[in-house]
Amino acid sequence: MKVIQYTKNSIAAAVIGGCLVLLPSGTANAQKASSTEQAAIENALRKLDAEWSAAASARDLDKTVSYYSNDAVVLPPNAPLASTPMAIRAQWKKDIDSMIGGGWKPTRVEVAKSGDMAYVSGTYTFNFKDAGGKTVEDRGKYLEVWERQADGSWKCGADAWNSDLPAAP
Amino acid sequence: MKVIQYTKNSIAAAVIGGCLVLLPSGTANAQKASSTEQAAIENALRKLDAEWSAAASARDLDKTVSYYSNDAVVLPPNAPLASTPMAIRAQWKKDIDSMIGGGWKPTRVEVAKSGDMAYVSGTYTFNFKDAGGKTVEDRGKYLEVWERQADGSWKCGADAWNSDLPAAP
């Protein structure tokens, strides 16, 4: 699809003041520029996601919440939506307080052609202390939407995860 | 940010064959085109999401799974990742078989400037029959990533949800 669009739309010819001028089309240009940029963004997001996982695993609350945008929404399982920085911090504090270790790893990264939005999906494993003080492992999957900010940095704007393990009856 | 970039980059001057020619920049062009397009896409996705919810609520399995792209990933709570059309259908069959009714509604829609990716987040309420035949209500939240397909249609490429209710101990 991209190749066909590029072939059809990349060059528009116009005669202006007696000169034949080739005008690059906006759409084709954006698509042409994006494949290299998209690959670079994918690499950057994989790196950011690994750093983020390391921060959470190291129980660094300040650093963990720093990966979210100011208007991020966080969808934790078995808890209400967290849609303010304060609520997101409270959710992560609770998780980090009960967490022993673990982390997450992306399996899929898809980047919008405009390079301002992307999503990352992958798997996590975390060890927790349960209410009785016993160590339990949780494993599951996550979906993050990343958005490029006004300063060019990437922040997570929406973050959902849930367990692979069956629910208690 | 958008206004500043447009002012700076929208027009590039070039002298070709003795003529002064104004070339629209690809980046600024894509951004200029996108605000109207983004609003139209947001409306289209809200409509699609409402139709999708109605299909699920009507227990129409074929229609429900038709909203996913061929390579979609579905992240259901307390179940493994479903990353093939067959696995997605099996997951939804299980949900629809135990479901009495309900639905979901978007609260946030964000669209990439290129108009090829967007995410939708919102809340759901579903009534189920539990293992003992008792009707139970589940309410929670969801995060969908939508991607424009080669034919111009929009499909959901990644879909995660989870309950707001506390986990059973």
Side-chain angles (χ1 to χ4, degrees), chain B residues 11 13 20 40 44 47 53 79 93 95 109 119 121 139 150 152-153 161:
Chain B
I11 304 294
L20 179 65
K47 193 163 166 277
S53 169
K93 185 175 186 326
D95 285 346
V109 181
Y119 75 89
S121 182
R139 57 174 193 277
S153 68
W161 68 93

Side-chain angles (χ1 to χ4, degrees), chain B residues 133-144:
Chain B
K134 202 177 69 174
T135 300
V136 289
E137 185 191 82
D138 182 27
R139 57 174 193 277
K141 54 218 170 293
Y142 66 92
L143 174 60
E144 304 160 350

Side-chain angles (χ1 to χ4, degrees), chain B residues 43-122:
Chain B
N43 287 338
L45 290 179
R46 285 183 183 272
K47 193 163 166 277
L48 272 177
D49 210 37
E51 290 171 5
W52 192 9
S53 169
S57 183
R59 306 160 54 96
D60 184 337
L61 181 58
D62 285 340
K63 190 165 182 186
T64 300
V65 299
S66 77
Y67 289 85
Y68 291 111
S69 65
N70 287 333
D71 65 345
V73 287
V74 174
L75 293 73
N78 306 112
L81 178 79
S83 59
T84 64
M86 196 182 289
I88 291 170
R89 191 181 176 86
Q91 172 64 39
W92 268 104
K93 185 175 186 326
K94 207 177 66 177
D95 285 346
I96 280 178
D97 282 350
S98 62
M99 181 197 299
I100 300 166
W104 62 86
K105 205 171 174 166
T107 48
R108 179 187 287 200
V109 181
E110 299 274 352
V111 182
K113 289 194 177 76
S114 44
D116 64 331
M117 184 183 285
Y119 75 89
V120 176
S121 182

